Amino acid sequence: QVIAPRLEAEHGFDASHGARYFSVDARRAATRWRDFRFLLDQEVATPAAQRQACHAAAATFQALLGVFEP
């Protein structure tokens, strides 16, 4: 809900052209977010798993910044 509008405004990408992954049906977003949080609670239950997940998330967003920044 945040990334898709920026991609379209700044780069012309949308659900049918290069940004399908980031395009979410707003009516389903709340359900998908709840499902994601449930899965996260199950899969990232230990401090070690939480550290690993945080490291992976930070690396992912750093890579995205490298792609989308001019």
Side-chain angles (χ1 to χ4, degrees):
Q1 290 178 314
V2 174
I3 295 172
R6 296 271 316 261
L7 286 174
E8 186 168 3
E10 295 180 25
H11 302 286
F13 298 138
D14 61 20
S16 64
H17 178 73
R20 180 176 294 178
Y21 176 82
F22 295 106
S23 300
V24 177
D25 178 358
R27 295 168 295 183
R28 293 181 34 210
T31 300
R32 293 179 76 185
W33 183 245
R34 186 182 60 242
D35 292 347
F36 171 75
R37 290 187 60 197
F38 176 79
L39 180 63
L40 195 61
D41 286 342
Q42 301 301 308
E43 298 294 325
V44 189
T46 67
Q50 291 167 3
R51 283 190 299 275
Q52 184 179 13
C54 287
H55 177 73
T60 298
F61 281 106
Q62 190 62 43
L64 286 171
L65 285 173
V67 170
F68 299 128
E69 286 185 339

